[in-house]
Amino acid sequence: MEVSFSKEIELLKLGGGQTFHGEGILAVTKALLQSGVTYVGGYQGAPVSHLLDVMVQAKELMGELGVHVEACTNEAAAAAMLGASIMYPVRGAVTWKSIVGTNVASDALSNLSSPGVIGGALIVVGEDYGEGASVIQERTHAFAMKSAMWLVDPRPSLPNIVRMVEKGFELSEASNAPVIMELRIRACHVHGSFEAKTNRAAPISARQLQEEPAAFLYDRLAHPPVTFKHEKLKYDVRMPAARKFIADNGLNEFFDGPAKDIGIIVQGGLYNGLIRALQELGLADAFGETQIPVFVLNVVYPLVPDEIVKFAAGRKAIMIVEEGQPEFIEHEIGTLLRRADINTAIHGKDMLPMAGEYTSEVMLGGLTKLLAKYAPGEAQKKGEAYEQQIVQLRQQAVAKFAAPLPPRPPGFCIGCPERPVFAALKLAQQDIGKVHISTDIGCHALATFEPFSFGNSILGYGMSLASGAGVASFSARRPVAIMGDGGFWHNGLLSGVSSAMLNERDRVLVIMKNGYTSATGTQDVISTPGPVSRQIAEGASATGTEQTIESTLRGMGVKWLRTVHTYRVTDMRAALKEAITTKTEGLKVIVAEGECQLERQRRIRPLRAKQLSEGKRVVRTRYGVDEDTCTGDHSCIRLSGCPTLTVKTATDPLKTDPVAHVTNGCVGCGLCGENAHAATLCPSFYRADIVSNPNALERGLAKLRRAVTRAG
Ligand code: SF4
Ligand code: SF4
């Protein structure tokens, strides 16, 4: 990974009394160190990647504190790490993106929560839900309930987030249960400050070793018959202990206001949006002074019945602001109030939408309905006017355009090594017909958009080969599974390759070997070229490993294996055709080799800038289109989709169609040339080498060429 977190690491070193200024997710990282963690692990994913990325780079600081940091190969491995806290009084934290990561981790989480923990165990999940999300729209809440793990959803303010991390460990220890902290995208990226505390080194750590392992204790194994006892412990002992701790420590917050008849109960993570909505209605100020009392659930599971009853009793109605479906909190509050014989009306999903992100605009709509029923007046009118205004603004915006705007889906980066593979697949299908394509999670999923529109299914990270198993049985042509190297090491090796080998399946797998788990921020995988080579180059003995995908596949018995450079479109097309049509049975794997362009550019740009500043000769390659020969049929664009290969108005008045054009963003990956050759496109593409600080011979030649051109 070429991104540097040196500034963030300095913030992690802050001591008592100093002020931390920064992002929410980094505040969580700092809070872990202030809490005396012994170990941290995780699997990267939005919006919590930085937690682990920063810690992985902060080797020196972690070494001083004796904190063990592990970049786990998947979320199941991360969850299993928390097993250290079952038998030892050590605090540990792991992180991943939810809901997908929690699905992967759920086996280990069940087996962790059954025996429970004695050392604080905190799971920080990125609750990637809503309009900006990139995963299935489900809630971590369901996992917390099914496994009896407590769920913290902090009000997004840095001092509160930090407090909830610290209290999260204490809650876990007081109730012997793991605690999940869910952080929405907005909470991860909220900026603010808090007064730092000095980092704490744990009493048991990589620097303070345990002489002896823990004693054997069958009661603490997730294994029947003690699991029956665990079930009773969860609800007879751990949950009451958790409720007592939450109430005693005031983890949930009450913001009073003059309104007596109505009140709002909100998930902590939604608080800022709610205050913004109340502000629009004239019912709150920017500092959170509210006219309607608000009860903020920093802990959304378990609820503390007394707190809910106390807040609801005596009011005509309360509104539960709970994002996502189904309405777990609303159901629970309904039960709690019925049991306490409280007749306060409960509103929530009847006035707010069941699905989708609760932006302040959405919340404003729900609040307006609540006001109309219980407190009609100025604020309600303001809400209705606001909603009307939004509708009008949308209509005006639509009216400005003659036709609906075309969708603008995301695409591969400029020069991405994966784009040529899909160009080759397009060409191969022109020759042999369409095949079923199982796609996967990762950058290559961008090929599901135009101009490729590839993919018949996506079933999960590293699952493409496995997801084609059923289809293969009834398909005349061999299905093709696409997988990234990140997905291969995460899950694909076992669930896909191993299964195909066991069942001797006749399948085709394309592995995008770009060197990183690129879509999550270009973190290293076991086959990333670098660490070992770097150590050897620096004269140190190699401590890491650089396992290749190819040697792993060979070791598993894969016989038909080709490594093809992604930018060689003709070779890739031939390899794909052969894999799909060969009479050779068994699994056929094409390893598509080409480094992630994003990482490559991050590495090259500073080097190039340094060479230029030193007056050294630097050559940059670019491609271009000769508009005199461009026919304007745009078949090159349909084969590429590179954002720098676009169109422009032709200068020739006889050409009515726009011509193809390469902008200055071209990184000279070479795909344009390869496509022109492989698909026998028109000869309008040219390659130009731009030489900075040319030598004397080049200057002379340039002069000569200019003179000849002028004379012509
Ligand atoms: S991050 Fe790398 S692999 Fe992903 S789209 Fe960009 S260049 Fe391609
Ligand atoms: S050579 Fe073509 S595909 Fe590659 S970066 Fe330039 S315009 Fe894009």
Side-chain angles (χ1 to χ4, degrees):
M1 169 183 258
E2 302 293 329
V3 179
S4 165
F5 292 104
S6 49
K7 276 191 203 140
E8 286 81 358
I9 291 169
E10 286 310 307
L11 286 174
L12 295 184
K13 293 179 185 167
L14 292 179
Q18 290 180 290
T19 305
F20 173 108
H21 296 281
E23 244 187 341
I25 191 62
L26 195 65
V28 172
T29 317
K30 171 69 175 143
L32 295 180
L33 299 180
Q34 293 181 178
S35 305
V37 279
T38 295
Y39 63 96
V40 179
Y43 191 81
Q44 60 276 352
V48 288
S49 287
H50 280 189
L51 192 161
L52 200 64
D53 291 345
V54 175
M55 280 203 161
V56 166
Q57 279 190 18
K59 281 199 181 85
E60 203 181 314
L61 177 61
M62 298 303 132
E64 281 166 22
L65 294 167
V67 178
H68 170 74
V69 179
E70 184 127 341
C72 302
T73 48
N74 60 31
E75 297 85 352
M81 261 186 99
L82 292 171
S85 297
I86 295 176
M87 290 299 287
Y88 299 92
V90 291
R91 289 183 168 182
V94 295
T95 185
W96 57 71
K97 170 196 190 89
S98 207
I99 192 71
V100 286
T102 311
N103 289 335
V104 177
S106 63
D107 188 5
L109 289 178
S110 296
N111 287 287
L112 172 78
S113 57
S114 189
V117 293
I118 55 170
L122 187 69
I123 302 148
V124 181
V125 298
E127 191 75 349
D128 195 17
Y129 180 89
E131 285 159 20
S134 58
V135 295
I136 311 296
Q137 299 295 282
E138 291 180 3
R139 300 176 63 186
T140 307
H141 202 109
F143 285 86
M145 291 198 305
K146 88 170 176 60
S147 296
M149 299 180 287
W150 318 141
L151 185 59
V152 171
D153 185 354
R155 179 171 58 82
S157 139
L158 263 54
N160 187 55
I161 290 175
V162 169
R163 177 170 184 261
M164 293 311 294
V165 171
E166 294 169 344
K167 288 290 171 192
F169 280 114
E170 291 177 30
L171 170 63
S172 174
E173 285 156 0
S175 59
N176 302 121
V179 170
I180 306 177
M181 173 179 274
E182 61 175 351
L183 294 169
R184 290 173 180 75
I185 294 167
R186 290 174 212 273
C188 283
H189 300 310
V190 71
H191 272 70
S193 56
F194 67 93
E195 195 171 313
K197 292 184 197 138
T198 305
N199 296 330
R200 271 169 53 191
I204 300 174
S205 72
R207 287 176 71 100
Q208 303 286 334
L209 304 182
Q210 285 270 89
E211 287 302 327
E212 299 296 333
F216 175 76
L217 202 52
Y218 192 78
D219 270 14
R220 301 197 71 81
L221 291 176
H223 199 242
V226 287
T227 42
F228 309 128
K229 191 170 152 188
H230 293 163
E231 189 187 9
K232 279 189 75 62
L233 279 174
K234 279 180 178 177
Y235 298 98
D236 290 353
V237 179
R238 295 181 202 158
M239 190 175 278
R243 284 181 165 145
K244 183 171 183 322
F245 183 90
I246 294 162
D248 290 353
N249 288 272
L251 297 193
N252 296 321
E253 299 172 287
F254 175 55
F255 296 97
D256 204 359
K260 295 283 172 248
D261 286 348
I262 52 176
I264 301 166
I265 298 181
V266 63
Q267 289 168 301
L270 299 183
Y271 172 83
N272 290 359
L274 173 70
I275 288 298
R276 186 75 191 94
L278 287 170
Q279 225 184 315
E280 276 304 329
L281 297 170
L283 295 173
D285 66 17
F287 302 100
E289 259 329 298
T290 169
Q291 299 294 307
I292 302 178
V294 179
F295 189 55
V296 180
L297 296 172
N298 284 309
V299 185
V300 287
Y301 183 77
L303 299 179
V304 180
D306 289 349
E307 290 183 346
I308 301 294
V309 167
K310 194 172 157 204
F311 181 77
R315 297 189 198 280
K316 277 191 193 154
I318 53 169
M319 171 172 260
I320 322 291
V321 181
E322 178 184 8
E323 188 178 60
Q325 39 62 45
E327 62 271 53
F328 297 118
I329 300 173
E330 196 175 325
H331 286 160
E332 193 176 344
I333 289 178
T335 307
L336 292 175
L337 296 189
R338 276 310 303 132
R339 279 189 190 141
D341 201 17
I342 305 282
N343 284 324
T344 302
I346 298 173
H347 297 285
K349 293 295 182 188
D350 57 339
M351 293 184 172
L352 286 155
M354 176 60 88
E357 189 171 347
Y358 278 11
T359 57
S360 15
E361 190 187 322
V362 169
M363 288 191 249
L364 183 138
L367 289 170
T368 305
K369 288 188 188 120
L370 182 78
L371 293 171
K373 191 163 168 106
Y374 296 99
E378 271 315 297
Q380 173 216 346
K381 282 187 198 138
K382 252 190 177 174
E384 284 163 357
Y386 182 92
E387 286 193 289
Q388 248 173 16
Q389 200 189 347
I390 294 286
V391 172
Q392 277 166 7
L393 282 173
R394 290 218 166 98
Q395 283 168 348
Q396 281 166 14
V398 170
K400 280 210 167 177
F401 299 97
L405 287 179
R408 297 177 62 196
F412 295 106
C413 299
I414 296 164
C416 173
E418 302 190 351
R419 182 179 286 113
V421 181
F422 293 104
L425 186 54
K426 212 169 196 186
L427 293 171
Q429 289 194 96
Q430 279 175 12
D431 299 336
I432 56 174
K434 294 250 179 214
V435 293
H436 177 99
I437 299 172
S438 329
T439 42
D440 212 302
I441 307 297
C443 291
H444 44 87
L446 296 168
T448 54
F449 297 119
E450 294 283 3
F452 302 111
S453 303
F454 279 150
N456 301 94
S457 64
I458 296 185
L459 264 288
Y461 194 24
M463 303 297 274
S464 59
L465 186 58
S467 68
V471 178
S473 65
F474 54 75
S475 298
R477 278 183 217 106
R478 283 182 193 127
V480 172
I482 311 282
M483 193 185 286
D485 42 8
F488 175 78
W489 295 116
H490 176 272
N491 199 342
L493 174 63
L494 292 182
S495 59
V497 176
S498 154
S499 182
M501 296 306 288
L502 174 69
N503 292 286
E504 297 176 357
R505 289 295 171 240
D506 193 17
R507 306 281 311 286
V508 179
L509 170 64
V510 178
I511 301 174
M512 301 289 189
K513 188 179 164 192
N514 65 22
Y516 313 86
T517 45
S518 304
T520 54
T522 60
Q523 289 82 6
D524 288 358
V525 288
I526 188 175
S527 53
T528 298
V532 176
S533 336
R534 275 202 292 270
Q535 285 168 35
I536 294 168
E538 284 159 14
S541 59
T543 52
T545 172
E546 269 176 35
Q547 182 63 37
T548 68
I549 291 172
E550 288 88 337
S551 61
T552 304
L553 290 170
R554 269 190 218 103
M556 291 181 78
V558 176
K559 298 272 183 313
W560 197 106
L561 181 62
R562 306 271 190 281
T563 299
V564 184
H565 204 280
T566 57
Y567 292 106
R568 304 218 171 96
V569 177
T570 309
D571 296 349
M572 185 62 76
R573 176 195 204 173
L576 283 164
K577 278 168 65 178
E578 192 191 336
I580 296 166
T581 57
T582 179
K583 293 213 169 11
T584 309
E585 299 219 321
L587 180 63
K588 285 154 279 288
V589 185
I590 298 172
V591 177
E593 171 125 40
E595 189 189 3
C596 166
Q597 190 69 228
L598 194 64
E599 276 295 273
R600 190 164 177 272
Q601 292 300 322
R602 276 181 186 145
R603 201 176 49 249
I604 287 175
R605 277 201 184 122
L607 289 177
R608 199 185 278 151
K610 187 166 176 279
Q611 285 172 332
L612 284 174
S613 68
E614 289 166 357
K616 290 190 179 147
R617 179 179 178 273
V618 173
V619 182
R620 186 167 89 86
T621 301
R622 256 203 58 191
Y623 280 73
V625 176
D626 179 354
E627 71 163 278
D628 290 342
T629 41
C630 174
T631 59
D633 75 337
H634 307 144
S635 48
C636 52
I637 294 174
R638 284 190 289 276
L639 257 185
S640 162
C642 176
T644 57
L645 176 57
T646 177
V647 288
K648 70 167 190 183
T649 311
T651 44
D652 180 349
L654 295 178
K655 283 191 179 174
T656 48
D657 287 336
V659 288
H661 171 65
V662 177
T663 70
N664 254 338
C666 170
V667 294
C669 77
L671 174 62
C672 284
E674 284 286 329
N675 271 350
H677 173 65
T680 344
L681 299 178
C682 68
S684 49
F685 279 94
Y686 64 84
R687 178 189 144 146
D689 286 339
I690 303 161
V691 183
S692 304
N693 301 323
N695 58 32
L697 179 65
E698 285 164 333
R699 276 201 210 101
L701 275 173
K703 242 187 210 168
L704 182 65
R705 282 185 190 125
R706 270 198 299 273
V708 172
T709 315
R710 267 199 299 271

